[in-house]
Amino acid sequence: MRAGLPSFAKMAAPLLLVVLVAATIRAVLFRSSLASFISERVEVVSPLSSWKRVVEGLSLLDLEISPYSGDLFHETPLTIYLFHFLIDYAELVFMITDTLTAVALYLAVQDFNRVLFKKQKLLLELKQYAPDVVELIRTPSEMYYIPLKVALCYLLNPFTVMSCVAKSTCAINNAIIAFFILATIKGSAILSAVFLALATYQSLYPLTLFAPALLYLLQRQFIPVKMSSRQFWIYTTQYVVMYLGSLTVLLCLSFFLLNSWDFIPAVYGFILSVPDLTPNIGLFWYFFAEMFEHFSLFFVFVFQINAFFYTIPLSVKLKEHPMFLMFLQIAIISIFKSYPTVGDVALYMAFLPVWSHLYRFLRNIFIVSCMLIVCSLLFPVLWHLWIYAGSANSNFYYAITLSFNVGQILLVSDYFYAYLRREYHLTHGLYLRKKDGTEAALVLK
């Protein structure tokens, strides 16, 4: 087993090469005229993550004025105090942040593959798999480069590069989530709870990652997910206490830094109420710009619940597969959050190589891939036609936004279908037959 899967030492050289290439690309773009263009793109930055707003908040802080006194700054207090000391090294900070995110994802996937291989080997020994599914069994050779592919997909993804060059604080959120995933997969409940609390503190929506993290940790401890199990409730209570305790410490620390609770409505109230309707790649802005004011509260609730609603049914369905559940939840957050950017999309797309064994069961991957690529290219075109040329209007830009999000939903749905289908074939056989001997069609409901 240990000989079959890669060690970090063996893969250090290729990973270092990827990091150097990624750093070079970012350094060149930081010094090019494209940097100012990218930093203005509404697909790359949002009212929550814009570097310009961070700079404005720092200016107010230097004047001993609360950065939350106006309606401009909506980042967390810890973020602004971080850059208060590192403002002169901002470019380097964002490059290091991306590198740390990629390394954390690399180590997390490496450890996950190791655990997955052990589990697969055990199930084979117990004869839990059907006899004709040999071609579905994952081998060490095909899993060898997956951690490196994940790091590469994150560091060299154009979405990640643009977020870094624009100095979008989304990069910091991604790094925190990556370290949360690493801590969870390593089985460290305390670090998992701390990083999850930090991710929730930063952008609220990672609250939905609580369920997959708990399920994975329970699985690591061989504790059954049963309401009648005393061990289950003890471990769950411990994790909840660690998570809420960490979150309370972060909120209290923010209060002591500012001597005010103004950041709560300015950050979390802003995320939930969606008052800024600046165009972005999300679903909120156009809908609420066209809506009558007295309907907005109800529909804000309807829109926001999408990011949280799917957690329970997916957790029930995928309680034995918490890592895939975590992937789905990160994707759902990036689609349904109120102020998404392409940096959010890049995080879950980095995990696609982990599920490379599902490719044979994907139904629409070519069409969806073309759809996402074309939409990504059309974003700046339709923005120019609307804002600068005046030959289009907001309907055109929202149409491409809607298409992009439909493409993401189709992509996630396709992977969900493929995952369930592979799991079914593993236990029931790859070639299904009816009672009369004819080939059966598999329909998932």
Side-chain angles (χ1 to χ4, degrees), residues 132-386:
D132 64 341
V133 294
V134 177
E135 56 191 283
L136 297 183
I137 301 300
R138 305 187 69 185
T139 61
S141 59
E142 73 178 60
M143 298 167 75
Y144 187 90
Y145 287 107
I146 287 177
L148 183 64
K149 289 177 182 177
V150 169
L152 188 147
C153 284
Y154 185 79
L155 283 175
L156 300 184
N157 189 326
F159 290 165
T160 315
V161 175
M162 288 191 293
S163 292
C164 181
V165 173
K167 291 181 277 193
S168 168
T169 55
C170 174
I172 296 173
N173 299 341
N174 286 353
I176 294 168
I177 292 174
F179 278 101
F180 153 71
I181 294 170
L182 176 60
T184 303
I185 291 177
K186 290 289 185 182
S188 175
I190 179 65
L191 287 178
S192 173
V194 169
F195 280 114
L196 180 58
L198 191 54
T200 307
Y201 166 81
Q202 280 292 116
S203 57
L204 194 63
Y205 292 102
L207 170 66
T208 60
L209 300 177
F210 179 91
L214 178 62
L215 289 170
Y216 191 91
L217 291 168
L218 287 167
Q219 198 175 81
R220 288 272 300 201
Q221 298 295 322
F222 304 102
I223 299 173
V225 183
K226 293 180 180 179
M227 297 300 168
S228 58
S229 171
R230 186 168 176 269
Q231 279 185 303
F232 168 77
W233 286 111
I234 291 173
Y235 196 88
T236 301
T237 303
Q238 289 174 344
Y239 192 70
V240 169
V241 169
M242 288 187 288
Y243 169 68
L244 293 179
S246 301
L247 190 57
T248 302
V249 169
L250 290 168
L251 293 174
C252 291
L253 179 59
S254 299
F255 172 77
F256 289 127
L257 288 172
L258 295 170
N259 199 29
S260 168
W261 293 108
D262 289 346
F263 70 93
I264 290 181
V267 178
Y268 310 117
F270 184 82
I271 291 172
L272 293 174
S273 61
V274 203
D276 191 322
L277 301 178
T278 302
N280 53 60
I281 62 168
L283 301 170
F284 284 72
W285 65 272
Y286 181 86
F287 193 84
F288 289 101
E290 300 293 328
M291 183 181 292
F292 291 113
E293 185 66 28
H294 56 278
F295 291 126
S296 62
L297 181 61
F298 170 75
F299 282 100
V300 162
F301 179 79
V302 171
F303 270 60
Q304 291 285 11
I305 203 172
N306 276 288
F308 302 94
F309 176 76
Y310 305 106
T311 304
I312 295 175
L314 285 174
S315 298
V316 172
K317 184 66 178 177
L318 297 169
K319 67 178 182 180
E320 299 297 329
H321 312 283
M323 189 61 183
F324 188 74
L325 172 62
M326 194 176 294
F327 161 73
L328 290 182
Q329 285 298 139
I330 294 172
I332 288 168
I333 289 171
S334 73
I335 296 169
F336 292 111
K337 68 188 298 187
S338 50
Y339 294 103
T341 63
V342 291
D344 300 299
V345 178
L347 181 60
Y348 83 82
M349 283 192 170
F351 282 95
L352 295 183
V354 179
W355 320 117
S356 58
H357 57 289
L358 302 178
Y359 288 167
R360 65 179 294 164
F361 299 117
L362 296 175
R363 299 167 296 179
N364 306 308
I365 188 63
F366 177 74
I367 296 172
V368 172
S369 299
C370 291
M371 190 175 179
L372 292 174
I373 292 169
V374 170
C375 287
S376 300
L377 295 174
L378 286 177
F379 274 130
V381 174
L382 293 180
W383 179 263
H384 179 83
L385 292 176
W386 173 26

Side-chain angles (χ1 to χ4, degrees), residues 16 26-27 64 96 173 180 224 241 266 295 301 341-342 409 425-426 438 440:
L16 181 61
R26 285 160 171 76
E64 297 183 353
I96 292 173
N173 299 341
F180 153 71
V241 169
F295 291 126
F301 179 79
T341 63
V342 291
I409 293 169
H425 281 305
L426 284 173
T438 58

